Amino acid sequence: MKSHSILSVLLILLAAGCVDRIYFDVGNNVPFTIVAEGHISDQPGPYRVELNSAFDLESKLARTAISAKQVVLSDNLGNREVLANIDKGVYQTNPDGIHGTVGSVYTLRIELFDGRVYESKPDTLYASGSIDSVYHSFKEEKSPNEVSVYSFDIFFNASAATKNNYNFLWKFTGTFQCDTHPELKDIVHDGAPCINGKCNFYELCSGIRNISVFNDLLRAEFVRVAPCSCCTCWYDIFNNIPMVSDGQFVRDGRFTAIKAYTLPINHWIFQHKVYVTVTQESLSRQAFAFWKGIKDQKTAANSLFQPISGKIPGNFKQISGPENPIEGLFYATSIASKTILIRREDVPNPRILPPDYPWPASCLILFPNATTEKPPFWTD
């Protein structure tokens, strides 16, 4: 019971640490407001744009994808590309198509079937500078009931490319692996559904099957017929509040000892190791105002005393057609990043790592952002 309680708390913490979709406070009396999101960068494409209907901040209802007649990305040098519609409300450039370059200015044009046309304000792609170093510091704190809680504070040092632009968006990503044991699931009370009249009792993804002609547990015969497809997963943890270069001390274009995240030390996250990546995205003044607005809104939502800020400043304007509001941002950015590896051996005292807990279920339901596909950078 104690293990399950600890696990429940961990699940809540991890879910809270993951990035949610952006919720725009557009008010209750504005129907069918469009939300447009996307960016172009100096990294290899393709670049993606998403079009959806907006929803109220309080209700957090699912978005509805919006179809466009045409979505066009262009720059100030005469380059132009019509984005392909790859999914409902999702438009994407060709991998060999238009590419972001420092100094260029980009505009996104959205044409809807009812004659409405929207354009983003021109956005300049500034140089990103660099993430100079990423490091961690071990921390021990006491919970309200005087139990020790251990973690690593993640810090980084960064540099601006020029003294003309200190506007940046910083992102943290922590990637870890967990192994679970769906074959240990309680087959009496939590049996898998029957297939072709034959009950399997085990999770189907475990690769274990009932090969007998009997559908009762006492006479079933179980064998492994395939590898387990849900025993090993990888997960990403993100910072849920945007980090923008707002108020940090800058000296000679350098940001020092910026805290990116507090990474809990527990069996799940440190079952193997953690890849920690910090990225730095350059921002124009208008893109910076947008991300700062997101940060202020999220910070206010978590505060008992600070009122939720007003509408987040987007950068779209309507050109023609029946008047209808649009929110969101299309921006140009240069991206720099640095990754470090934190191992179990980096925990100062191995005794503080909780004992192995064989989770008896699919790894896909253990934490959010789960995938059974090994990341390309992961090494065993």
Side-chain angles (χ1 to χ4, degrees):
M1 181 63 69
K2 183 178 180 181
S3 298
H4 285 286
S5 298
I6 294 174
L7 179 60
S8 298
V9 173
L10 177 59
L11 285 168
I12 294 171
L13 291 175
L14 281 175
C18 299
V19 163
D20 295 326
R21 282 189 175 274
I22 298 170
Y23 298 114
F24 296 93
D25 188 3
V26 298
N28 294 324
N29 299 318
V30 184
F32 308 116
T33 301
I34 296 173
V35 171
E37 302 173 68
H39 73 272
I40 184 172
S41 76
D42 61 348
Q43 302 300 302
Y47 312 112
R48 178 175 293 192
V49 172
E50 295 188 19
L51 303 177
N52 299 278
S53 62
F55 49 86
D56 180 68
L57 180 67
E58 297 296 329
S59 63
K60 297 186 179 180
L61 298 175
R63 295 183 182 180
T64 301
I66 294 177
S67 296
K69 181 179 179 180
Q70 188 172 250
V71 178
V72 182
L73 176 58
S74 59
D75 65 17
N76 60 325
L77 301 178
N79 299 304
R80 179 180 183 275
E81 181 175 351
V82 178
L83 279 63
N85 184 197
I86 64 169
D87 200 354
K88 292 181 179 180
V90 181
Y91 298 81
Q92 185 171 282
T93 63
N94 189 295
D96 299 321
I98 193 170
H99 184 269
T101 56
V102 173
S104 293
V105 182
Y106 297 90
T107 302
L108 186 74
R109 181 181 177 91
I110 302 169
E111 301 178 13
L112 301 184
F113 289 99
D114 64 359
R116 283 178 289 166
V117 178
Y118 302 91
E119 280 189 359
S120 64
K121 297 176 183 178
D123 203 60
T124 302
L125 198 159
Y126 293 101
S128 65
S130 62
I131 298 291
D132 301 321
S133 61
V134 180
Y135 57 98
H136 55 79
S137 175
F138 175 75
K139 181 170 67 176
E140 178 181 359
E141 297 178 307
K142 294 292 185 180
S143 67
N145 58 350
E146 294 300 312
V147 175
S148 293
V149 178
Y150 307 99
S151 59
F152 281 120
D153 279 340
I154 309 299
F155 297 93
F156 65 92
N157 299 319
S159 298
T162 69
K163 294 183 179 180
N164 297 324
N165 184 41
Y166 290 157
N167 296 327
F168 298 106
L169 172 67
W170 293 309
K171 296 179 180 179
F172 165 91
T173 305
T175 304
F176 64 98
Q177 172 188 329
C178 277
D179 302 317
T180 62
H181 301 272
E183 75 280 2
L184 299 180
K185 189 173 182 180
D186 189 337
I187 61 176
V188 176
H189 301 292
D190 299 312
C194 299
I195 300 177
N196 297 327
K198 184 176 293 186
C199 292
N200 192 64
F201 298 102
Y202 282 101
E203 292 268 8
L204 298 179
C205 61
S206 69
I208 298 175
R209 298 288 186 272
N210 171 22
I211 63 170
S212 75
V213 297
F214 303 106
N215 286 333
D216 61 282
L217 182 60
L218 294 179
R219 293 185 292 177
E221 182 181 356
F222 299 105
V223 298
R224 179 172 294 282
V225 299
C228 179
S229 60
C230 60
C231 290
T232 300
C233 285
W234 288 265
Y235 313 86
D236 284 335
I237 307 173
F238 307 99
N239 50 301
N240 67 327
I241 297 179
M243 295 183 291
V244 294
S245 51
D246 177 34
Q248 292 88 356
F249 179 72
V250 185
R251 182 173 183 178
D252 296 326
R254 299 192 73 243
F255 299 87
T256 58
I258 306 299
K259 184 177 176 179
Y261 198 79
T262 296
L263 189 66
I265 297 176
N266 54 60
H267 163 70
W268 297 109
I269 295 179
F270 281 90
Q271 193 176 94
H272 295 278
K273 53 195 172 186
V274 185
Y275 280 85
V276 168
T277 301
V278 176
T279 62
Q280 175 168 287
E281 296 187 8
S282 62
L283 300 175
S284 65
R285 184 171 297 179
Q286 63 183 357
F288 177 84
F290 175 88
W291 286 110
K292 186 177 185 301
I294 295 290
K295 174 188 175 183
D296 292 344
Q297 188 183 80
K298 283 182 169 285
T299 302
N302 294 328
S303 172
L304 295 176
F305 307 103
Q306 182 177 353
I308 294 179
S309 55
K311 186 179 292 186
I312 297 169
N315 71 337
F316 281 93
K317 58 184 178 180
Q318 185 167 358
I319 304 300
S320 64
E323 186 174 348
N324 200 83
I326 183 170
E327 301 290 340
L329 176 76
F330 182 83
Y331 66 108
T333 180
S334 175
I335 303 175
S337 64
K338 184 174 285 293
T339 299
I340 63 170
L341 181 62
I342 307 180
R343 300 178 175 86
R344 289 172 59 89
E345 293 77 13
D346 294 319
V347 178
N349 184 350
R351 289 182 295 179
I352 70 176
L353 286 170
D356 188 16
Y357 175 73
W359 175 254
S362 166
C363 63
L364 291 169
I365 64 173
L366 184 58
F367 298 122
N369 305 308
T371 177
T372 56
E373 183 176 347
K374 181 188 296 187
F377 55 81
W378 192 274
T379 57
D380 294 324

